[in-house]
Amino acid sequence: MIQVHDSEYKNCSYHLRNFGKVRGFLSDDPCKTAIQCLVMSRMDYCSTLLAGIPQNQRRRLQLIQYKAARIVSQTAKTEHITPILADLHWLPCQQRTNFHLLTLIYKCLHHSAPSYLEDLLSIYTPTRALRSADAKFALQQPVSRKKVGENSFSCIGQRLWNDIPMYIRDAQSINVFRKSLKTYLFCKYYH
């Protein structure tokens, strides 16, 4: 996974260097669109595989996002990056990964994902009458005895799914789910 991570970092850095050279000739909207197409899409490619990696390994991708935000907003390296990301309405790398993972879980629960992924998730059904029995789409969290097992799709995905509010889980369509999830993650991180 580290080799994929390194090649992704180098590829994004290459495109950002080229954008930095021509940024003065582009207005804000075309520049933002081009960076989202070429750089951010590469960061999002297979981002669910990065869900359980440590923060120090995710740091390089976060630096790529910071560079992209600075190029789009034309700000100096000395300025704080958090308000710039908030103005661009970009989620940080960790939240972007969680967003893609939770979207995949939503698709699994609504039978629009591959069956091998659906088989990894199990809906929680209590054995006796509990108040949580009304919780629609609550997932049973598997118990892992090893640290490596906690980073698997079934463990980390089910933990993240159970942490989001019920009104997001009960969304009627994928578009409503994605919109409310992004708003929730955005408000949780920036406010």
Side-chain angles (χ1 to χ4, degrees), residues 14-52:
Y14 169 76
H15 287 296
L16 283 176
R17 259 188 315 259
N18 289 338
F19 271 111
K21 293 175 185 175
V22 298
R23 176 58 178 107
F25 302 108
L26 297 171
S27 60
D28 290 344
D29 287 337
C31 182
K32 182 179 177 181
T33 303
I35 284 185
Q36 283 178 332
C37 289
L38 290 173
V39 177
M40 304 305 274
S41 64
R42 291 178 193 274
M43 285 178 57
D44 290 341
Y45 177 70
C46 293
S47 64
T48 54
L49 295 175
L50 305 175

Side-chain angles (χ1 to χ4, degrees), residues 7 20 52 58 70 74 92 100 114 116 128-129 136-137 155-156 170-171 186 189:
S7 66
R58 186 178 291 114
R70 289 185 195 285
Q74 293 181 323
H100 292 293
Y116 64 88
R128 55 193 167 140
K136 187 176 171 184
F137 292 132
C155 288
I156 198 165
D170 287 340
F186 188 83
Y189 185 79

Side-chain angles (χ1 to χ4, degrees), residues 20 26 38 49 61-62 69 78 80 83 91 93 95 98 102 109 114 127 130 134 141 146 153 165-166 179 183:
L26 297 171
L38 290 173
L49 295 175
L61 285 179
Q62 188 64 56
T78 56
H80 290 288
L91 291 170
C93 282
Q95 276 66 31
N98 292 348
L102 289 167
L109 293 175
T127 55
L130 299 173
D134 294 337
Q141 294 183 356
K146 299 191 179 207
F153 171 77
M166 186 64 70
K179 183 178 179 182
T183 303

Side-chain angles (χ1 to χ4, degrees), residues 4 6 24 42 49 52 91 100 104 115 185:
V4 173
D6 285 340
R42 291 178 193 274
L49 295 175
L91 291 170
H100 292 293
L104 186 60
S115 60
L185 292 173

Side-chain angles (χ1 to χ4, degrees), residues 89-101:
H89 233 265
W90 288 356
L91 291 170
C93 282
Q94 176 66 41
Q95 276 66 31
R96 287 176 79 89
T97 302
N98 292 348
F99 175 79
H100 292 293
L101 185 65

Side-chain angles (χ1 to χ4, degrees), residues 26-165:
L26 297 171
S27 60
D28 290 344
D29 287 337
C31 182
K32 182 179 177 181
T33 303
I35 284 185
Q36 283 178 332
C37 289
L38 290 173
V39 177
M40 304 305 274
S41 64
R42 291 178 193 274
M43 285 178 57
D44 290 341
Y45 177 70
C46 293
S47 64
T48 54
L49 295 175
L50 305 175
I53 66 170
Q55 185 65 29
N56 62 348
Q57 292 179 5
R58 186 178 291 114
R59 178 80 177 138
R60 293 181 78 187
L61 285 179
Q62 188 64 56
L63 291 174
I64 289 291
Q65 189 180 31
Y66 291 164
K67 288 178 190 177
R70 289 185 195 285
I71 288 173
V72 170
S73 63
Q74 293 181 323
T75 55
K77 290 183 180 179
T78 56
E79 294 185 35
H80 290 288
I81 195 69
T82 306
I84 296 168
L85 288 175
D87 287 342
L88 292 172
H89 233 265
W90 288 356
L91 291 170
C93 282
Q94 176 66 41
Q95 276 66 31
R96 287 176 79 89
T97 302
N98 292 348
F99 175 79
H100 292 293
L101 185 65
L102 289 167
T103 302
L104 186 60
I105 290 174
Y106 180 86
K107 289 179 180 180
C108 287
L109 293 175
H110 289 85
H111 307 294
S112 58
S115 60
Y116 64 88
L117 289 176
E118 291 177 15
D119 295 340
L120 296 174
L121 303 175
S122 58
I123 295 179
Y124 173 69
T125 53
T127 55
R128 55 193 167 140
L130 299 173
R131 285 182 291 173
S132 64
D134 294 337
K136 187 176 171 184
F137 292 132
L139 295 177
Q140 184 174 356
Q141 294 183 356
V143 178
S144 175
R145 296 176 191 231
K146 299 191 179 207
K147 185 73 174 164
V148 175
E150 293 174 2
N151 294 336
S152 66
F153 171 77
S154 57
C155 288
I156 198 165
Q158 292 178 21
R159 183 177 47 81
L160 287 173
W161 180 261
N162 290 336
D163 288 344
I164 61 174

